[in-house]
Amino acid sequence: MKICVHGAGAWGTALAVNAAGRHEVTLWARDAAQADAISKAGENIRYLPGLALPPALTVRAGNLRQARAGAELVIVATPMAALRQQLTDLRGTTAPVAWLCKGVEPARGKSPNSFGLLAHEIWAQVAPELIAGVLSGPSFAQEVAEGRPTALVAASPHAEVRDALVDAFHGPALRVYANDDIVGVEVGGAVKNVLAIATGLCDGLALGLNARAALITRGLAEMTRFGLALGARAETFMGLSGLGDLVLTSTGDLSRNRKVGLLLAQGRTLAEAVASLGHVAEGVYCARTVVQRARGLGVEMPIAEGVVALLDGKLSPREAVASLTGRDPVPESVLAPAHARGSPQQD
C-alpha cells in the first residue's frame, strides 16, 4: 500500500516507522528544515530522539499534493487545531483519509449557541465527500515506534476506511480493531486528555492510589454520559478508545496531559507547565470546550469542570481536588445522561 502521513510529529513519525517495513510510506513535514534535519540524521531528533528511521521511509516537505500523489491511504497526524485546514486541503481526495488527533476544536463564534466540534463534525462541515475516519486508542508514540505491543481502534462509518487502516497498520506488535462508532471513539480520545490532567493533579498532591482509582472510574462515567448525549454507544467506552485510553493517559509517565497535572500540583504555572512539554497537551486546549458543550447538553461533568477552574486560575490545585471530594453523596450511576433521567445528575 502507498501511504502518505501528513505531519512529522511524534505520533505521525511513529506510525510511519511502523508501516514502512511493509508499505511504501511518505512522511510529510510542514517545515522544510525539519524534513531536511530528519533525513540527514536518520531520526526525528525533536520528537523521537534515538530512534533510527527505516531506510525505506521517505521524508518530504514542500508541495503536499505531490507528496500524496497516488496515495492509497492518507493519514493526518497534526494537532487538532490544524485539522480543519488539513481536511479543506484534502477536498477531492478519493483515497481513504484518517486523522490521529484527539480533542475538540474551540468554538468558532461568540454566540452562546456556538460550541466546539469533534473531528468528524469538522469533516462533515468542510469535506463531507471524503471517505474518512479516525485511528485512536491507548498508545504512546515512543512505544509504537519501538515496536512494543499496542492495540488501536479504526473508527469510521465507511468500511473502506476501516479496512484500509487495518491493512496498513495491523501486524504482530500493533493490532487494529474496527469500530463504526466514530462518535464514541472521538469522545473517548478527547475527554480522556482532560481527565488525565485531574489524575496527574491527584498524584502530584500525593493523594494516593485509592483517589486515583476513584477519579479514573468517575471520569469514565463522565465521559460515557457525555458520549451518550452525543449519540455514541455505551459499549465503546468500555473498550480501547474509552477505558483503555483513559487508563493509559491517566497513569502512564509518558502522558503529556498527566504531566500538566503533576506540574500544576508542584506549583508551576500553566504557562510553565505547557512550555516544559515540547509537545501539544490537547487536554489543556479542549477542556473548556468539552465543559461548554456538556453544559449545553445538560450533562454534568464535575471532574472536567474542576480541571477548567484549575486551568483558569479560579481554584488552586488543592481547592480543585476539594471541590470534587466535597460533593454531596448520590447513587452511583455510569450510563445515564442527566437529561435522560429527568433531573440534574451529580457525581
Side-chain angles (χ1 to χ4, degrees):
M1 182 183 296
K2 188 173 182 179
I3 303 170
C4 181
V5 180
H6 294 194
W11 195 202
T13 302
L15 273 184
V17 166
N18 177 274
R22 307 184 304 278
H23 305 287
E24 181 183 345
V25 183
T26 297
L27 178 63
W28 182 85
R30 180 176 57 85
D31 180 47
Q34 181 195 13
D36 185 58
I38 293 172
S39 296
K40 288 180 178 178
E43 64 178 291
N44 192 333
I45 296 174
R46 178 176 179 183
Y47 292 107
L48 290 174
L51 179 78
L53 303 183
L57 177 62
T58 300
V59 182
R60 295 185 59 176
N63 190 306
L64 184 52
R65 287 187 179 274
Q66 290 181 1
R68 66 171 182 260
E72 298 165 272
L73 176 64
V74 177
I75 300 295
V76 179
T78 64
M80 190 70 187
L83 180 63
R84 179 175 291 269
Q85 186 59 55
Q86 285 284 315
L87 293 180
T88 300
D89 293 343
L90 282 166
R91 285 173 177 163
T93 299
T94 57
V97 173
W99 47 85
L100 308 180
C101 44
K102 302 174 180 180
V104 184
E105 184 185 51
R108 294 174 62 81
K110 296 184 179 181
S111 164
N113 296 322
S114 298
F115 52 82
L117 300 180
L118 291 161
H120 74 276
E121 295 171 321
I122 300 172
W123 163 36
Q125 265 195 4
V126 304
E129 74 280 6
L130 293 177
I131 307 300
V134 62
L135 186 64
S136 191
S139 50
F140 288 136
Q142 183 72 39
E143 294 192 356
V144 170
E146 292 171 353
R148 295 175 184 262
T150 304
L152 299 176
V153 178
S156 172
H158 302 288
E160 181 181 350
V161 176
R162 301 192 299 267
D163 292 345
L165 289 168
V166 172
D167 290 344
F169 300 111
H170 189 87
L174 180 60
R175 299 187 62 83
V176 182
Y177 294 84
N179 190 328
D180 63 359
D181 182 14
I182 192 170
V183 178
V185 169
E186 288 193 342
V187 167
V191 176
K192 61 93 181 182
N193 286 326
V194 181
L195 300 172
I197 296 174
T199 54
L201 180 68
C202 168
D203 288 346
L205 293 174
L207 298 184
L209 300 178
N210 294 348
R212 180 204 284 179
L215 269 177
I216 291 174
T217 306
R218 296 316 302 163
L220 179 63
E222 288 190 18
M223 175 193 293
T224 304
R225 290 198 303 269
F226 183 54
L228 290 178
L230 289 169
R233 296 197 302 265
E235 62 266 25
T236 300
F237 300 102
M238 301 302 117
L240 290 166
S241 60
L243 178 61
D245 213 354
L246 175 59
V247 170
L248 179 75
T249 312
S250 297
T251 64
D253 290 336
L254 294 176
S255 168
R256 298 188 294 271
N257 293 283
R258 168 179 160 77
K259 187 175 181 181
V260 168
L262 289 169
L263 292 172
L264 293 175
Q266 294 168 11
R268 305 282 287 275
T269 67
L270 178 59
E272 289 171 341
V274 171
S276 72
L277 298 178
H279 301 254
V280 174
E282 290 284 6
V284 173
Y285 302 103
C286 78
R288 298 171 188 84
T289 305
V290 166
V291 166
Q292 178 191 29
R293 190 152 187 190
R295 287 171 180 167
L297 293 167
V299 177
E300 283 203 1
M301 301 183 69
I303 299 175
E305 293 260 10
V307 170
V308 170
L310 174 70
L311 296 178
D312 287 345
K314 295 178 180 178
L315 294 177
S316 70
R318 291 196 177 276
E319 288 171 338
V321 170
S323 71
L324 297 173
T325 58
R327 292 178 67 85
D328 293 336
V330 294
E332 182 182 37
S333 177
V334 175
L335 299 181
H339 70 273
R341 293 163 52 92
S343 61
Q345 181 173 347
Q346 293 182 330
D347 239 339

